[in-house]
Amino acid sequence: MLSLKLAIKNLLGAGLRTWLNVIALSFAFVLIIFYNGMIDGWNRQSKRDTIDWESGKGQFWHPEYDRYDPYTIEDSHAPLSREILEEIEKKNLAPVLVSQATAYPQGRSIGVTIFGIDPKQTILKLPTATLPASNGTDYAIIGKSMAESANLSVGDNLLIRWRDKNGTFDAREIQIASIFKCDVPIVDKGKIYIAIETLQEMLGMENEATLLVTGEGFEFRELNGWVFKDNDFLLADMEKIIQSKKVSGSILQALLLIIALIAIFDTQVLSIFRRQKEIGTYIALGLTRAQVVGIFTVEGAAHSLLAILLGSAYGIPLFLWLNRTGIAMGYAEDMEFDLPLAEVIYPYYSIRLIIITVIIVIITATIVSYMPARKISKMKPTEALKGKLQ
Amino acid sequence: MENSSIIKIEKLIKRFSVGKSEFTALNDLSLTVERGEFLGLVGPSGSGKTTLLNIIGSLDTPSQGKVTVIDQSIASLSHKQSAKLRNRHIGFIFQTYNLLPVYTVYENVEFALLLQKLSSSVRHKSVMDALEWVGLTDKVKSKPSMLSGGECQRVAIARSMVKRPEIVLADEPTANLDSKNSHHILQTMKDLNKELNTTFIFATHDEKVMKYLNRKISLEDGQIVKDEIIQHSKN
Ligand SMILES: Nc1ncnc2c1ncn2[C@@H]1O[C@H](COP(=O)(O)OP(=O)(O)OP(=O)(O)O)[C@@H](O)[C@H]1O
Ligand SMILES: [Mg+2]
């Protein structure tokens, strides 16, 4: 009915005050999108990295296996059927045999998990191709953070001690063949990768594996004796933790939004107080009080539209730029993150995120504009026309 | 004849509560106004002129008595009904013009029509007609702050007239204007009164207004003390 154009005119007529409100609200708007976009980008990147390095297109687990319970490892191994071996040959499955062990770098002892993996596999990004075949010496590859915490470099020998399938202790020196860089901590920390055949031989578990990583080419079907875990399951915890960062970040966002909303509220209170004569005039012109409340509400809510326009004006170039260069995470790498964290995060701004943020900003601005405007319906038009204080 | 009266006031009493006591602003006032009158309410400050206009315009309600405006009883109107009465049938003109500062002259006049469901071309024509009546077609895009007091009041007249109301209520319309502008404004209203048969009611102290009126009602302490029909030789 009464156009938004008039509301915006009124707002712009208020000059600096309007712009201060709009700037504050646009900060909140841009920050919400920026922060959530960063988390979403991180989440997507982490998922992709974890899929690439660890989970593949899902995994078949030995029924006893539980990756969160090391005590299950000992009993979680089964022979590979002909069907599975064929898929391995076609690079549609990568078998992994897992064992607990103790490593002794420079006389210290640390608990490690040894992953026996097929050096010829191409499903995971793990540089297993850099594992030389055993030639009297057994080789391992490890991640950068494992190398740093155990103070190991390429060519170093590492003594490991494990129990074979009969529970008998055995020990051997293995040589570090290469060190890889991977952003997914669970692939790196406390993990040692050796050729699966070597580990099978060490444990006395010829032709056995703990889990099978599926690749792109695997045509999904049940495999007898194995339990399939899809990526919804495998990535669930990681996703949960990352999403929880959104919650902690939302406190700052909410604070900023509230400050901006208080400013709008304040402006509304003041403008209704100062513009009583105008309110009286509207009523004299034949507007109902509800319509006058509507005018002031729309006017206050229009702050949000201006904020969205202004936010877009500097936000879009900023977001495009960040999307191209990414956000350097710097020293975060050294922190005790258990989440995949790349050096550079590329924020991801989904349509959904943007629409939700726009709606939140408009709705909250409308509410804080409406609250003071309600007072108008209690004004007496004759008093309002006089511009008397209420 | 009774039916042609556009305003009928019988034994109107208006009281205001002032603190604990009550103040009687209009005291047992009766008045009938016919269509097309050009009527002035005169009287000292505090005599109740504005109060009476407000009640006729349904901005306020009687404490007692019966006020009928265009066949509607003011006391019984809901908020919505009284808003509709004002929007369709009553125009207001104020001493302080009360233009909306951020809107242009055109928008100020158009505003009164926005509530009615009119096509924009009809609206445009009405607005331009109204601005022509008051001689401001060249200031369409100006903001009130750029206009003189006389021009502002002419915009206000255009705004009150654009919807072609039956009644225009003008509270001290010339109080802030110099003599030349006052005469201009009054002549404009007088012309509209003749042309459109609009009923005008003024509250005024201004002597300049008197010679335009065809009826003058003197108020004192909320009562009518004199009711004169003024015959102009010209008419
Ligand atoms: N809301 C109110 N509360 C209390 N008293 C009021 C109120 N409105 C008006 N009055 C009183 O009613 C009386 C009439 O006021 P009104 O405004 O109608 O006078 P007026 O004739 O228009 O005077 P003026 O020429 O100064 O405009 C005054 O004594 C005024 O103080
Ligand atoms: Mg008065």
Side-chain angles (χ1 to χ4, degrees), chain A residues 1-2 5-6 9-10 13 277-278 281-289 291 295 380-382 385, chain B residues 54 59-60 79-80 83 86-87 92 94 96 98 100-104 107 111-112 114-115 159 163:
Chain A
M1 182 208 47
L2 290 160
K5 197 181 104 190
L6 294 183
K9 269 200 172 170
N10 250 326
K277 205 166 180 179
E278 179 181 335
T281 306
Y282 285 132
I283 292 174
L285 286 172
L287 272 72
T288 60
R289 287 158 216 235
Q291 284 169 326
I295 287 181
K380 288 179 78 177
T382 51
L385 274 168
Chain B
N54 284 342
L59 290 173
D60 211 341
H79 278 324
K80 253 189 159 163
R86 285 190 296 271
N87 181 41
F92 285 87
F94 306 96
T96 50
N98 292 22
L100 305 170
V102 297
Y103 304 161
T104 62
E107 287 162 343
F111 193 91
L114 288 177
L115 291 171
R159 180 176 66 181
K163 58 196 179 188

Side-chain angles (χ1 to χ4, degrees), chain A residues 380 382-383 386 388, chain B residues 14-18 23-26 43-54 60 95 171-172 203-205 219:
Chain A
K380 288 179 78 177
T382 51
E383 304 286 296
K386 284 187 213 158
K388 268 199 184 169
Chain B
K14 179 63 181 177
R15 295 187 201 95
F16 293 108
S17 48
V18 185
F23 177 83
T24 307
L26 295 174
S45 183
S47 56
K49 304 180 295 288
T50 300
T51 306
L52 182 56
L53 284 187
N54 284 342
D60 211 341
Q95 177 180 343
D171 196 351
E172 317 268 7
T204 188
H205 296 287
L219 290 181

Side-chain angles (χ1 to χ4, degrees), chain A residues 120-171:
Chain A
K120 294 192 294 290
Q121 71 82 28
T122 54
I123 293 170
L124 299 179
K125 262 192 182 166
L126 278 171
T128 47
T130 62
L131 270 175
S134 292
N135 47 7
T137 313
D138 294 316
Y139 295 96
I141 56 175
I142 56 173
K144 195 167 154 241
S145 97
M146 173 70 182
E148 275 162 13
S149 67
N151 200 11
L152 290 166
S153 344
V154 174
D156 285 357
N157 286 326
L158 178 65
L159 179 67
I160 51 174
R161 185 159 167 268
W162 72 94
R163 286 209 290 195
D164 69 12
K165 75 171 176 197
N166 303 317
T168 317
F169 277 106
D170 202 349

Side-chain angles (χ1 to χ4, degrees), chain A residues 174-186:
Chain A
I174 53 174
Q175 196 180 97
I176 306 301
S178 71
I179 293 170
F180 59 84
K181 162 106 191 57
C182 171
D183 296 325
V184 187
I186 56 168

Side-chain angles (χ1 to χ4, degrees), chain B residues 128-145:
Chain B
M128 292 314 287
D129 283 350
L131 287 172
E132 195 160 337
W133 294 332
V134 298
L136 279 178
T137 43
D138 55 334
K139 301 277 179 168
V140 174
K141 293 213 170 79
S142 306
K143 293 264 174 77
S145 59

Side-chain angles (χ1 to χ4, degrees), chain A residues 57-78:
Chain A
K57 296 277 173 246
Q59 299 177 346
F60 285 97
W61 284 6
H62 185 272
E64 295 292 318
Y65 181 61
D66 175 359
R67 65 171 163 183
Y68 299 112
D69 181 0
Y71 296 104
T72 63
I73 292 176
E74 213 173 320
D75 299 321
S76 310
H77 50 91

